[in-house]
Amino acid sequence: MGAVLGDVLGFAAAVAISPLPIIAIILILATPRGRLNGVLFALGWILGLSALGAVMLAIASPAGASAHGHPATWVGALKLALGVVLVLFGARLWHRRPRDPSQAQLPKWMGAIDRLTPVKVLGLGLALAALNAKNAPLTIAASAAIGSAGLPIGQQIASLAIFVVIATLGLLVPLGVFLLGGERAKTTLGHWKDWAAQHNVAVMAVLFFVLGLKLLGDGIGILTP
């Protein structure tokens, strides 16, 4: 299990460093129902990651993700495909990044955050976790790594739970600052939001590219033992 955790913690950290969800929860916390909606957003995020990871584990176990202590061929092919996708996304984002970070623009949907109902905030957190172009491949890759290790079901669930907790730290930290930081929290979170907004595309591009290369290496290693 320790070897598996060493493999998936990098994926979890990359999911946690997601500028757009961090900006989203900071904007949500600034709304009149910020305390409730912030918790619901984080809960939706946890549910999204857990559901996607659980589905992948359910697929991996019957499909024979592990063969004689070595990841199955299809796991290598999956990692190779995910690696190609992430590298291409990273190159595309880097090419399209704003040359002047101060000119970076946030997605239009963020302008409607203050009008979202609690149910929609929960759904937004779930969608950003499970359907995000970066988070979904990384969660799938992490779950494939867990499923291909040949662990007992209890250890698989525990490994996935640890992945989800680490991957949620990017939201839990701003939420904790808001709940415990008093008046100074607004200023601190405002600075974080501004930095994340300016460097969102560059950070995402680098993460895509680096993790894509890692997945490519993992896939090649499995396919060419």
Side-chain angles (χ1 to χ4, degrees):
M1 182 173 171
V4 173
L5 290 178
D7 196 21
V8 304
L9 285 182
F11 296 128
V15 174
I17 308 172
S18 298
L20 285 183
I22 292 173
I23 295 171
I25 195 170
I26 291 174
L27 292 175
I28 288 170
L29 292 172
T31 63
R33 289 181 293 196
R35 187 180 297 268
L36 170 63
N37 285 349
V39 172
L40 289 175
F41 182 79
L43 178 60
W45 175 274
I46 292 171
L47 291 175
L49 291 179
S50 300
L52 182 58
V55 168
M56 187 60 203
L57 284 182
I59 293 173
S61 294
S66 176
H68 306 294
H70 185 77
T73 301
W74 73 264
V75 175
L78 175 63
K79 288 191 172 185
L80 196 64
L82 292 174
V84 171
V85 170
L86 289 181
V87 167
L88 291 177
F89 268 132
R92 182 170 176 267
L93 281 175
W94 185 260
H95 179 71
R96 294 189 176 188
R97 77 191 190 284
R99 295 297 185 265
D100 182 358
S102 64
Q103 300 301 314
Q105 296 182 345
L106 294 176
K108 293 182 179 180
W109 58 264
M110 285 193 171
I113 277 183
D114 59 341
R115 299 190 295 274
L116 294 180
T117 64
V119 173
K120 289 182 178 179
V121 168
L122 179 70
L124 177 62
L126 194 153
L128 285 178
L131 304 179
N132 182 280
K134 174 174 72 70
N135 295 341
L138 294 177
T139 303
I140 291 172
S143 300
I146 295 170
S148 65
L151 297 175
I153 186 64
Q155 292 187 16
Q156 290 187 34
I157 294 173
S159 298
L160 178 61
I162 292 172
F163 167 83
V164 171
V165 170
I166 300 299
T168 309
L169 289 179
L171 303 185
L172 295 180
V173 170
L175 182 60
V177 169
F178 176 80
L179 296 176
L180 304 174
E183 288 300 317
R184 294 182 59 185
K186 295 180 180 179
T187 302
T188 300
L189 293 176
H191 290 324
W192 291 1
K193 177 182 72 67
D194 293 341
W195 187 93
Q198 291 180 10
H199 301 284
N200 166 55
V201 176
V203 170
M204 292 284 285
V206 172
L207 284 175
F208 272 135
F209 197 75
V210 172
L211 292 166
L213 289 178
K214 181 186 185 304
L215 284 172
L216 282 174
D218 290 348
I220 293 171
I222 293 172
L223 294 175
T224 57

